[in-house]
Amino acid sequence: MRCPTLTVAAACAVIAIVSQFSPASANTGSAPWTRRPFPRRVPSAAALAVCGAKMVGFLNGDRARNHVAPLLVEDPRLDAIALRHSQDMVSRNYFSHATPGAGSVFDALGKMHVSFVGAGENIAENTYLTVSRLGQSLARTNGDLMHSRGHRANILALAFTKVGVGVAVDRKTNTMIVTEVFVQTSR
């Protein structure tokens, strides 16, 4: 019988669950296992402000390795759309491409009067901040996206020329949500 293969995210979840327990001291008379709190690695507001730029660096590194032109970060409305979506998912505790009551990324682009021929969106949610520093968590998130066929297609799409990225963190759970908004501006 073959053992099931764990995905990177599942393996990290197992590591995180196992890491919260430690053997109790035999001399204390307490239960054999006691709960340890997760490390608190909540990034500061200033650190979160530069996350988008770090993610764009990872995206453009992936594009360069695959001989694709870099994505431009020249429209602050794209960053605003991505950040608003990430923050909304954190504050209203959901994870979806569709924002309840507001629609899809296409609706958001229209409301912000962004001209586009085509668009795409990647979203990622994880708790890597419980076991990794912010930069490592962002790199792992990008790696996860690159290992997913649909997300990788968005990242490496020749047609997409602009990107906006937004990162939000639930400070109670250390859950990080990343939204990447890709735009094609001409045919």
Side-chain angles (χ1 to χ4, degrees):
M1 182 169 135
R2 292 182 52 188
C3 293
T5 305
L6 290 175
T7 64
V8 173
C12 291
V14 170
I15 291 168
I17 290 168
V18 170
S19 71
Q20 69 178 319
F21 295 97
S22 64
S25 169
N27 297 335
T28 64
S30 63
W33 293 93
T34 57
R35 185 172 170 78
R36 260 191 334 182
F38 283 121
R40 300 301 294 173
R41 297 184 196 268
V42 179
S44 67
L48 281 175
V50 299
C51 287
K54 286 184 180 190
M55 286 301 291
V56 171
F58 293 133
L59 294 171
N60 282 333
D62 292 330
R63 287 173 70 92
R65 281 186 290 283
N66 288 277
H67 311 288
V68 180
L71 294 162
L72 303 175
V73 185
E74 58 186 30
D75 191 339
R77 295 174 298 178
L78 298 178
D79 288 326
I81 290 167
L83 182 59
R84 187 175 307 125
H85 192 194
S86 290
Q87 289 173 335
D88 189 60
M89 286 189 279
V90 166
S91 68
R92 296 202 292 166
N93 195 28
Y94 72 95
F95 184 69
S96 174
H97 287 285
T99 302
S104 70
V105 67
F106 304 105
D107 298 314
L109 290 166
K111 287 176 188 168
M112 293 289 283
H113 307 290
V114 175
S115 297
F116 66 96
V117 174
E121 178 184 66
N122 286 347
I123 59 175
E125 176 183 45
N126 62 60
T127 56
Y128 292 150
L129 289 171
T130 61
V131 295
S132 301
R133 295 196 184 282
L134 182 59
Q136 294 166 324
S137 295
L138 293 170
R140 290 173 72 179
T141 301
N142 185 71
D144 290 347
L145 292 168
M146 283 297 289
H147 285 94
S148 163
R149 185 178 305 217
H151 296 108
R152 180 183 178 89
N154 279 344
I155 293 168
L156 300 180
L158 296 172
F160 292 148
T161 56
K162 295 181 183 178
V163 68
V165 179
V167 179
V169 173
D170 183 332
R171 297 190 178 282
K172 291 176 252 166
T173 64
N174 273 354
T175 300
M176 178 173 67
I177 296 183
V178 177
T179 302
E180 300 170 340
V181 176
F182 302 91
V183 173
Q184 174 186 355
T185 55
S186 63
R187 292 198 188 271

PDB file of all heavy atoms in Angstrom, residues 132-159:
ATOM      1  N   SER A 132       7.173  30.806   9.999  1.00  0.00           N
ATOM      2  CA  SER A 132       8.197  31.477   9.188  1.00  0.00           C
ATOM      3  C   SER A 132       8.112  32.991   9.351  1.00  0.00           C
ATOM      4  O   SER A 132       7.061  33.535   9.675  1.00  0.00           O
ATOM      5  CB  SER A 132       7.995  31.163   7.698  1.00  0.00           C
ATOM      6  OG  SER A 132       8.057  29.804   7.445  1.00  0.00           O
ATOM      7  N   ARG A 133       9.189  33.648   9.050  1.00  0.00           N
ATOM      8  CA  ARG A 133       9.196  35.113   9.016  1.00  0.00           C
ATOM      9  C   ARG A 133       8.448  35.587   7.773  1.00  0.00           C
ATOM     10  O   ARG A 133       8.160  34.815   6.875  1.00  0.00           O
ATOM     11  CB  ARG A 133      10.627  35.635   9.023  1.00  0.00           C
ATOM     12  CG  ARG A 133      11.376  35.307  10.299  1.00  0.00           C
ATOM     13  CD  ARG A 133      12.628  36.162  10.423  1.00  0.00           C
ATOM     14  NE  ARG A 133      13.395  35.801  11.587  1.00  0.00           N
ATOM     15  CZ  ARG A 133      13.095  36.167  12.830  1.00  0.00           C
ATOM     16  NH1 ARG A 133      12.032  36.895  13.052  1.00  0.00           N
ATOM     17  NH2 ARG A 133      13.842  35.805  13.834  1.00  0.00           N
ATOM     18  N   LEU A 134       8.150  36.878   7.732  1.00  0.00           N
ATOM     19  CA  LEU A 134       7.333  37.438   6.660  1.00  0.00           C
ATOM     20  C   LEU A 134       7.911  37.172   5.273  1.00  0.00           C
ATOM     21  O   LEU A 134       7.215  36.703   4.381  1.00  0.00           O
ATOM     22  CB  LEU A 134       7.126  38.938   6.888  1.00  0.00           C
ATOM     23  CG  LEU A 134       6.256  39.656   5.865  1.00  0.00           C
ATOM     24  CD1 LEU A 134       4.866  39.046   5.810  1.00  0.00           C
ATOM     25  CD2 LEU A 134       6.169  41.135   6.214  1.00  0.00           C
ATOM     26  N   GLY A 135       9.185  37.465   5.068  1.00  0.00           N
ATOM     27  CA  GLY A 135       9.799  37.258   3.752  1.00  0.00           C
ATOM     28  C   GLY A 135       9.744  35.806   3.307  1.00  0.00           C
ATOM     29  O   GLY A 135       9.448  35.501   2.152  1.00  0.00           O
ATOM     30  N   GLN A 136      10.013  34.888   4.244  1.00  0.00           N
ATOM     31  CA  GLN A 136       9.942  33.459   3.929  1.00  0.00           C
ATOM     32  C   GLN A 136       8.503  33.051   3.623  1.00  0.00           C
ATOM     33  O   GLN A 136       8.254  32.234   2.740  1.00  0.00           O
ATOM     34  CB  GLN A 136      10.466  32.636   5.103  1.00  0.00           C
ATOM     35  CG  GLN A 136      11.945  32.825   5.375  1.00  0.00           C
ATOM     36  CD  GLN A 136      12.333  32.261   6.731  1.00  0.00           C
ATOM     37  OE1 GLN A 136      11.586  32.336   7.694  1.00  0.00           O
ATOM     38  NE2 GLN A 136      13.534  31.706   6.795  1.00  0.00           N
ATOM     39  N   SER A 137       7.555  33.616   4.360  1.00  0.00           N
ATOM     40  CA  SER A 137       6.142  33.296   4.132  1.00  0.00           C
ATOM     41  C   SER A 137       5.704  33.744   2.745  1.00  0.00           C
ATOM     42  O   SER A 137       4.971  33.033   2.052  1.00  0.00           O
ATOM     43  CB  SER A 137       5.262  33.950   5.205  1.00  0.00           C
ATOM     44  OG  SER A 137       5.556  33.409   6.473  1.00  0.00           O
ATOM     45  N   LEU A 138       6.144  34.924   2.332  1.00  0.00           N
ATOM     46  CA  LEU A 138       5.811  35.413   0.989  1.00  0.00           C
ATOM     47  C   LEU A 138       6.433  34.525  -0.083  1.00  0.00           C
ATOM     48  O   LEU A 138       5.783  34.187  -1.076  1.00  0.00           O
ATOM     49  CB  LEU A 138       6.262  36.860   0.818  1.00  0.00           C
ATOM     50  CG  LEU A 138       5.536  37.897   1.678  1.00  0.00           C
ATOM     51  CD1 LEU A 138       6.238  39.242   1.593  1.00  0.00           C
ATOM     52  CD2 LEU A 138       4.080  38.012   1.272  1.00  0.00           C
ATOM     53  N   ALA A 139       7.686  34.131   0.111  1.00  0.00           N
ATOM     54  CA  ALA A 139       8.364  33.269  -0.864  1.00  0.00           C
ATOM     55  C   ALA A 139       7.658  31.913  -0.961  1.00  0.00           C
ATOM     56  O   ALA A 139       7.455  31.387  -2.063  1.00  0.00           O
ATOM     57  CB  ALA A 139       9.832  33.077  -0.473  1.00  0.00           C
ATOM     58  N   ARG A 140       7.252  31.356   0.168  1.00  0.00           N
ATOM     59  CA  ARG A 140       6.547  30.071   0.165  1.00  0.00           C
ATOM     60  C   ARG A 140       5.192  30.203  -0.520  1.00  0.00           C
ATOM     61  O   ARG A 140       4.764  29.307  -1.260  1.00  0.00           O
ATOM     62  CB  ARG A 140       6.374  29.575   1.596  1.00  0.00           C
ATOM     63  CG  ARG A 140       7.691  29.145   2.226  1.00  0.00           C
ATOM     64  CD  ARG A 140       7.536  28.821   3.679  1.00  0.00           C
ATOM     65  NE  ARG A 140       6.814  27.558   3.850  1.00  0.00           N
ATOM     66  CZ  ARG A 140       6.558  27.037   5.029  1.00  0.00           C
ATOM     67  NH1 ARG A 140       6.934  27.653   6.137  1.00  0.00           N
ATOM     68  NH2 ARG A 140       5.916  25.896   5.113  1.00  0.00           N
ATOM     69  N   THR A 141       4.520  31.325  -0.284  1.00  0.00           N
ATOM     70  CA  THR A 141       3.227  31.561  -0.933  1.00  0.00           C
ATOM     71  C   THR A 141       3.399  31.624  -2.439  1.00  0.00           C
ATOM     72  O   THR A 141       2.641  31.008  -3.196  1.00  0.00           O
ATOM     73  CB  THR A 141       2.594  32.859  -0.404  1.00  0.00           C
ATOM     74  OG1 THR A 141       2.419  32.751   1.003  1.00  0.00           O
ATOM     75  CG2 THR A 141       1.264  33.152  -1.078  1.00  0.00           C
ATOM     76  N   ASN A 142       4.416  32.355  -2.894  1.00  0.00           N
ATOM     77  CA  ASN A 142       4.679  32.438  -4.328  1.00  0.00           C
ATOM     78  C   ASN A 142       5.006  31.055  -4.896  1.00  0.00           C
ATOM     79  O   ASN A 142       4.539  30.693  -5.979  1.00  0.00           O
ATOM     80  CB  ASN A 142       5.811  33.423  -4.618  1.00  0.00           C
ATOM     81  CG  ASN A 142       6.021  33.618  -6.096  1.00  0.00           C
ATOM     82  OD1 ASN A 142       5.198  34.222  -6.764  1.00  0.00           O
ATOM     83  ND2 ASN A 142       7.105  33.061  -6.627  1.00  0.00           N
ATOM     84  N   GLY A 143       5.787  30.282  -4.170  1.00  0.00           N
ATOM     85  CA  GLY A 143       6.108  28.929  -4.614  1.00  0.00           C
ATOM     86  C   GLY A 143       4.858  28.064  -4.756  1.00  0.00           C
ATOM     87  O   GLY A 143       4.714  27.306  -5.717  1.00  0.00           O
ATOM     88  N   ASP A 144       3.935  28.192  -3.789  1.00  0.00           N
ATOM     89  CA  ASP A 144       2.673  27.450  -3.875  1.00  0.00           C
ATOM     90  C   ASP A 144       1.892  27.841  -5.124  1.00  0.00           C
ATOM     91  O   ASP A 144       1.337  26.988  -5.818  1.00  0.00           O
ATOM     92  CB  ASP A 144       1.805  27.706  -2.636  1.00  0.00           C
ATOM     93  CG  ASP A 144       2.363  27.076  -1.377  1.00  0.00           C
ATOM     94  OD1 ASP A 144       3.284  26.240  -1.467  1.00  0.00           O
ATOM     95  OD2 ASP A 144       1.874  27.443  -0.288  1.00  0.00           O
ATOM     96  N   LEU A 145       1.831  29.142  -5.392  1.00  0.00           N
ATOM     97  CA  LEU A 145       1.104  29.617  -6.575  1.00  0.00           C
ATOM     98  C   LEU A 145       1.740  29.083  -7.861  1.00  0.00           C
ATOM     99  O   LEU A 145       1.038  28.683  -8.785  1.00  0.00           O
ATOM    100  CB  LEU A 145       1.042  31.147  -6.591  1.00  0.00           C
ATOM    101  CG  LEU A 145       0.180  31.784  -5.505  1.00  0.00           C
ATOM    102  CD1 LEU A 145       0.422  33.287  -5.434  1.00  0.00           C
ATOM    103  CD2 LEU A 145      -1.292  31.489  -5.732  1.00  0.00           C
ATOM    104  N   MET A 146       3.058  29.053  -7.903  1.00  0.00           N
ATOM    105  CA  MET A 146       3.753  28.557  -9.096  1.00  0.00           C
ATOM    106  C   MET A 146       3.561  27.046  -9.282  1.00  0.00           C
ATOM    107  O   MET A 146       3.712  26.535 -10.383  1.00  0.00           O
ATOM    108  CB  MET A 146       5.242  28.897  -9.038  1.00  0.00           C
ATOM    109  CG  MET A 146       5.542  30.348  -9.373  1.00  0.00           C
ATOM    110  SD  MET A 146       5.080  30.778 -11.070  1.00  0.00           S
ATOM    111  CE  MET A 146       6.322  29.883 -12.002  1.00  0.00           C
ATOM    112  N   HIS A 147       3.220  26.331  -8.222  1.00  0.00           N
ATOM    113  CA  HIS A 147       2.993  24.882  -8.323  1.00  0.00           C
ATOM    114  C   HIS A 147       1.531  24.532  -8.600  1.00  0.00           C
ATOM    115  O   HIS A 147       1.158  23.364  -8.627  1.00  0.00           O
ATOM    116  CB  HIS A 147       3.495  24.169  -7.059  1.00  0.00           C
ATOM    117  CG  HIS A 147       4.976  24.066  -7.014  1.00  0.00           C
ATOM    118  ND1 HIS A 147       5.755  24.997  -6.364  1.00  0.00           N
ATOM    119  CD2 HIS A 147       5.824  23.177  -7.572  1.00  0.00           C
ATOM    120  CE1 HIS A 147       7.024  24.680  -6.514  1.00  0.00           C
ATOM    121  NE2 HIS A 147       7.090  23.571  -7.244  1.00  0.00           N
ATOM    122  N   SER A 148       0.710  25.547  -8.803  1.00  0.00           N
ATOM    123  CA  SER A 148      -0.692  25.347  -9.156  1.00  0.00           C
ATOM    124  C   SER A 148      -0.876  25.762 -10.607  1.00  0.00           C
ATOM    125  O   SER A 148      -0.544  26.891 -10.987  1.00  0.00           O
ATOM    126  CB  SER A 148      -1.570  26.221  -8.244  1.00  0.00           C
ATOM    127  OG  SER A 148      -2.861  26.355  -8.774  1.00  0.00           O
ATOM    128  N   ARG A 149      -1.397  24.863 -11.414  1.00  0.00           N
ATOM    129  CA  ARG A 149      -1.485  25.101 -12.861  1.00  0.00           C
ATOM    130  C   ARG A 149      -2.177  26.416 -13.220  1.00  0.00           C
ATOM    131  O   ARG A 149      -1.667  27.203 -14.006  1.00  0.00           O
ATOM    132  CB  ARG A 149      -2.204  23.937 -13.523  1.00  0.00           C
ATOM    133  CG  ARG A 149      -2.241  24.030 -15.018  1.00  0.00           C
ATOM    134  CD  ARG A 149      -2.910  22.846 -15.618  1.00  0.00           C
ATOM    135  NE  ARG A 149      -2.230  21.654 -15.143  1.00  0.00           N
ATOM    136  CZ  ARG A 149      -2.009  20.578 -15.875  1.00  0.00           C
ATOM    137  NH1 ARG A 149      -2.460  20.527 -17.088  1.00  0.00           N
ATOM    138  NH2 ARG A 149      -1.371  19.545 -15.382  1.00  0.00           N
ATOM    139  N   GLY A 150      -3.351  26.686 -12.656  1.00  0.00           N
ATOM    140  CA  GLY A 150      -4.089  27.897 -12.998  1.00  0.00           C
ATOM    141  C   GLY A 150      -3.396  29.167 -12.528  1.00  0.00           C
ATOM    142  O   GLY A 150      -3.357  30.170 -13.251  1.00  0.00           O
ATOM    143  N   HIS A 151      -2.847  29.121 -11.311  1.00  0.00           N
ATOM    144  CA  HIS A 151      -2.148  30.300 -10.784  1.00  0.00           C
ATOM    145  C   HIS A 151      -0.868  30.569 -11.590  1.00  0.00           C
ATOM    146  O   HIS A 151      -0.547  31.709 -11.902  1.00  0.00           O
ATOM    147  CB  HIS A 151      -1.818  30.106  -9.305  1.00  0.00           C
ATOM    148  CG  HIS A 151      -3.032  29.997  -8.441  1.00  0.00           C
ATOM    149  ND1 HIS A 151      -3.424  28.821  -7.869  1.00  0.00           N
ATOM    150  CD2 HIS A 151      -3.946  30.925  -8.071  1.00  0.00           C
ATOM    151  CE1 HIS A 151      -4.521  29.020  -7.168  1.00  0.00           C
ATOM    152  NE2 HIS A 151      -4.871  30.291  -7.284  1.00  0.00           N
ATOM    153  N   ARG A 152      -0.147  29.496 -11.893  1.00  0.00           N
ATOM    154  CA  ARG A 152       1.079  29.623 -12.690  1.00  0.00           C
ATOM    155  C   ARG A 152       0.764  30.226 -14.063  1.00  0.00           C
ATOM    156  O   ARG A 152       1.507  31.068 -14.563  1.00  0.00           O
ATOM    157  CB  ARG A 152       1.731  28.246 -12.847  1.00  0.00           C
ATOM    158  CG  ARG A 152       2.998  28.251 -13.658  1.00  0.00           C
ATOM    159  CD  ARG A 152       3.531  26.808 -13.818  1.00  0.00           C
ATOM    160  NE  ARG A 152       4.724  26.784 -14.620  1.00  0.00           N
ATOM    161  CZ  ARG A 152       5.961  26.908 -14.147  1.00  0.00           C
ATOM    162  NH1 ARG A 152       6.156  27.049 -12.858  1.00  0.00           N
ATOM    163  NH2 ARG A 152       6.994  26.884 -14.959  1.00  0.00           N
ATOM    164  N   ALA A 153      -0.361  29.800 -14.646  1.00  0.00           N
ATOM    165  CA  ALA A 153      -0.752  30.342 -15.956  1.00  0.00           C
ATOM    166  C   ALA A 153      -0.956  31.853 -15.876  1.00  0.00           C
ATOM    167  O   ALA A 153      -0.543  32.583 -16.785  1.00  0.00           O
ATOM    168  CB  ALA A 153      -2.023  29.655 -16.451  1.00  0.00           C
ATOM    169  N   ASN A 154      -1.581  32.337 -14.815  1.00  0.00           N
ATOM    170  CA  ASN A 154      -1.751  33.782 -14.648  1.00  0.00           C
ATOM    171  C   ASN A 154      -0.402  34.475 -14.503  1.00  0.00           C
ATOM    172  O   ASN A 154      -0.150  35.522 -15.105  1.00  0.00           O
ATOM    173  CB  ASN A 154      -2.620  34.100 -13.432  1.00  0.00           C
ATOM    174  CG  ASN A 154      -4.090  33.969 -13.701  1.00  0.00           C
ATOM    175  OD1 ASN A 154      -4.533  33.930 -14.844  1.00  0.00           O
ATOM    176  ND2 ASN A 154      -4.867  33.887 -12.638  1.00  0.00           N
ATOM    177  N   ILE A 155       0.466  33.912 -13.672  1.00  0.00           N
ATOM    178  CA  ILE A 155       1.770  34.530 -13.414  1.00  0.00           C
ATOM    179  C   ILE A 155       2.598  34.625 -14.691  1.00  0.00           C
ATOM    180  O   ILE A 155       3.262  35.633 -14.940  1.00  0.00           O
ATOM    181  CB  ILE A 155       2.536  33.753 -12.317  1.00  0.00           C
ATOM    182  CG1 ILE A 155       1.815  33.909 -10.968  1.00  0.00           C
ATOM    183  CG2 ILE A 155       3.985  34.220 -12.209  1.00  0.00           C
ATOM    184  CD1 ILE A 155       2.309  32.964  -9.882  1.00  0.00           C
ATOM    185  N   LEU A 156       2.551  33.600 -15.521  1.00  0.00           N
ATOM    186  CA  LEU A 156       3.409  33.548 -16.715  1.00  0.00           C
ATOM    187  C   LEU A 156       2.703  33.955 -18.007  1.00  0.00           C
ATOM    188  O   LEU A 156       3.305  33.874 -19.079  1.00  0.00           O
ATOM    189  CB  LEU A 156       3.994  32.138 -16.865  1.00  0.00           C
ATOM    190  CG  LEU A 156       4.854  31.646 -15.702  1.00  0.00           C
ATOM    191  CD1 LEU A 156       5.357  30.238 -15.975  1.00  0.00           C
ATOM    192  CD2 LEU A 156       6.009  32.598 -15.419  1.00  0.00           C
ATOM    193  N   ALA A 157       1.460  34.403 -17.927  1.00  0.00           N
ATOM    194  CA  ALA A 157       0.719  34.773 -19.137  1.00  0.00           C
ATOM    195  C   ALA A 157       1.411  35.922 -19.872  1.00  0.00           C
ATOM    196  O   ALA A 157       1.670  36.980 -19.294  1.00  0.00           O
ATOM    197  CB  ALA A 157      -0.708  35.162 -18.777  1.00  0.00           C
ATOM    198  N   LEU A 158       1.688  35.696 -21.146  1.00  0.00           N
ATOM    199  CA  LEU A 158       2.330  36.724 -21.970  1.00  0.00           C
ATOM    200  C   LEU A 158       1.443  37.962 -22.097  1.00  0.00           C
ATOM    201  O   LEU A 158       1.938  39.083 -22.180  1.00  0.00           O
ATOM    202  CB  LEU A 158       2.629  36.175 -23.369  1.00  0.00           C
ATOM    203  CG  LEU A 158       3.637  35.029 -23.452  1.00  0.00           C
ATOM    204  CD1 LEU A 158       3.678  34.464 -24.862  1.00  0.00           C
ATOM    205  CD2 LEU A 158       5.007  35.500 -23.005  1.00  0.00           C
ATOM    206  N   ALA A 159       0.136  37.766 -22.121  1.00  0.00           N
ATOM    207  CA  ALA A 159      -0.793  38.875 -22.338  1.00  0.00           C
ATOM    208  C   ALA A 159      -0.844  39.843 -21.155  1.00  0.00           C
ATOM    209  O   ALA A 159      -1.066  41.038 -21.347  1.00  0.00           O
ATOM    210  CB  ALA A 159      -2.198  38.333 -22.613  1.00  0.00           C
TER     211      ALA A 159
END
